[in-house]
Amino acid sequence: MKLQRRKAYTEPILWSDKDEKLLLAFLKKELFDSKKLKGLFPHRTLPSIRSKVRKLRIKHDLFGAVYRDDKEDFTTLIAKKVNPTIVFDAYAGAGHQTFKWIEIADKVFASEIMKSKLKQFEKSAQKNGFVKKETKKGIWKLYVKGKKRVYFFTGDAIEAAADLKVNKTNIDLIDLDTCGSTLPALPTFLVLLKPKHVVITHGEFHSMRFKREDVLRRLFMHRDISSNPLPLGVDKMSDELDKAVKTSALRAHNETVDSFWMNLKHEAWLGSKFHGMLRRHYKVEKPVATSDCINELSISK
């Protein structure tokens, strides 16, 4: 079926400071509830409210707050199992996962594209006993605690990864913890940094729940882009994401021998299975053979 562009059928209503404060106060106390929010803002559409909720959650470090403890527990579990020396936290935000990785690792390189997150990151550093050190040059800010080193880059994660590649930094583990999807960028991270492990948070479940066919057709590179993947249940979506990750890695290089095979080792739900997100740990291996990999990816679950 041919897709149609998403259109706004109503005139946009600017959010006043008063309305933003009202919405922020609600989000700090309660989970997203469409009926209650429509009651607070009867003259706004639900897509408009959802969009503002997402922006405020990111800006004020509320995104994922309800399952932050679960996420940190999973990070600690994986850190203890694989014992990484150097970690790249690609979408660091305020640094909650960064300072869990550094409990085990010697160095963590963290990047975040939102400039406003730097102050939040520095508060997290101070809270965890890290002291900012002035450096003469370079694009990374440095925070030190004993022999531990945390580096922070304000900018795009791929730019940060490219700098690490140029400076021959050996990365043991990449953490791809984003509220959206990192599937299109995954091959680039793998080729640049060649990590031994990848931890990835799947925010694509939101696109499934909101029936964003256009988004899923773009992200599911293992499927025909002209076919509609919907309807999808949670378990089927989980399988599709696993195949998408493995296909992205297998196609990361022209030659199979120089590409990657993602071996799923651990996973955990953040929040409830039907409202939360899925966090997974993959061990990065060399593909055995093109035929074997394709055969496995072709099996219907």
Side-chain angles (χ1 to χ4, degrees):
M1 183 183 295
K2 187 176 181 180
L3 295 176
Q4 300 294 326
R5 289 189 182 185
R6 288 162 59 88
K7 297 180 180 179
Y9 293 100
T10 57
E11 287 293 325
I13 305 172
L14 294 178
W15 285 82
S16 66
D17 290 341
K18 181 180 178 181
D19 284 349
E20 282 198 11
K21 289 178 181 177
L22 178 61
L23 178 56
L24 183 59
F26 177 90
L27 295 175
K28 287 182 176 179
K29 295 179 181 178
E30 301 190 44
L31 297 175
F32 185 91
D33 187 309
S34 58
K35 290 184 179 179
K36 289 183 179 179
L37 288 170
K38 280 291 291 179
L40 282 176
F41 306 103
H43 302 298
R44 295 189 180 277
T45 63
L46 194 54
S48 171
I49 294 172
R50 283 198 185 108
S51 176
K52 197 63 177 179
V53 165
R54 182 178 183 276
K55 291 175 182 177
L56 286 180
R57 281 176 169 170
I58 293 174
K59 180 179 179 180
H60 296 278
D61 195 28
L62 299 176
F63 202 95
V66 293
Y67 47 70
R68 186 166 292 154
D69 289 344
D70 293 337
K71 185 185 289 185
E72 291 180 355
D73 288 345
F74 186 76
T75 298
T76 299
L77 171 69
I78 302 306
K80 289 181 177 179
K81 283 184 176 293
V82 307
N83 197 29
T85 301
I86 304 178
V87 172
F88 176 47
D89 188 2
Y91 306 97
H96 298 291
Q97 303 313 306
T98 300
F99 292 99
K100 299 306 292 185
W101 290 119
I102 197 61
E103 290 178 4
I104 303 297
D106 295 335
K107 295 179 182 178
V108 176
F109 291 86
S111 66
E112 171 56 49
I113 198 168
M114 290 183 64
K115 294 180 180 179
S116 61
K117 289 294 177 182
L118 176 58
K119 288 185 178 180
Q120 295 175 7
F121 190 90
E122 292 191 334
K123 286 183 180 179
S124 297
Q126 186 178 18
K127 179 182 177 181
N128 285 275
F130 282 76
V131 177
K132 186 177 181 180
K133 295 291 184 181
E134 295 298 327
T135 54
K136 294 181 179 179
K137 60 180 180 179
I139 61 175
W140 299 87
K141 291 178 172 59
L142 173 61
Y143 304 86
V144 176
K145 179 182 178 182
K147 294 183 178 180
K148 302 280 187 178
R149 298 287 185 272
V150 170
Y151 299 84
F152 185 83
F153 169 73
T154 302
D156 184 74
I158 291 179
E159 291 181 22
D163 183 78
L164 294 173
K165 168 68 173 179
V166 169
N167 288 287
K168 296 180 172 58
T169 305
N170 295 318
I171 300 295
D172 298 306
L173 182 147
I174 299 176
D175 188 352
L176 302 175
D177 180 28
T178 177
C179 58
S181 177
T182 190
L183 286 173
L186 178 60
T188 305
F189 288 125
L190 292 174
V191 170
L192 286 175
L193 301 178
K194 294 180 173 58
K196 301 179 184 71
H197 301 271
V198 171
V199 175
I200 184 169
T201 302
H202 285 297
E204 296 90 351
F205 283 91
H206 295 313
S207 297
M208 178 200 76
R209 295 179 188 114
F210 296 145
K211 296 180 171 57
R212 289 297 305 272
E213 176 189 347
D214 56 332
V215 175
L216 297 178
R217 279 168 64 167
R218 184 178 75 89
L219 296 177
F220 285 172
M221 54 283 298
H222 62 296
R223 296 180 57 132
D224 181 356
I225 198 170
S226 65
S227 65
N228 181 6
L230 297 173
L232 281 172
V234 173
D235 292 334
K236 179 62 175 174
M237 180 70 174
S238 301
D239 293 339
E240 295 289 342
L241 289 170
D242 183 49
K243 288 186 176 182
V245 166
K246 289 176 176 175
T247 303
S248 295
L250 185 62
R251 290 173 171 169
H253 196 276
N254 290 342
E255 300 292 338
T256 300
V257 69
D258 294 316
S259 284
F260 310 88
W261 183 251
M262 305 287 276
N263 187 355
L264 179 59
K265 305 296 287 186
H266 305 90
E267 65 179 26
W269 278 98
L270 308 177
S272 69
K273 190 173 182 180
F274 296 98
H275 296 93
M277 295 191 291
L278 184 61
R279 190 153 161 86
R280 282 172 161 166
H281 162 229
Y282 287 90
K283 184 178 180 182
V284 184
E285 301 173 349
K286 285 294 181 184
V288 177
T290 304
S291 57
D292 292 350
C293 295
I294 291 176
N295 287 340
E296 181 172 334
L297 289 169
S298 301
I299 296 173
S300 299
K301 293 184 179 180

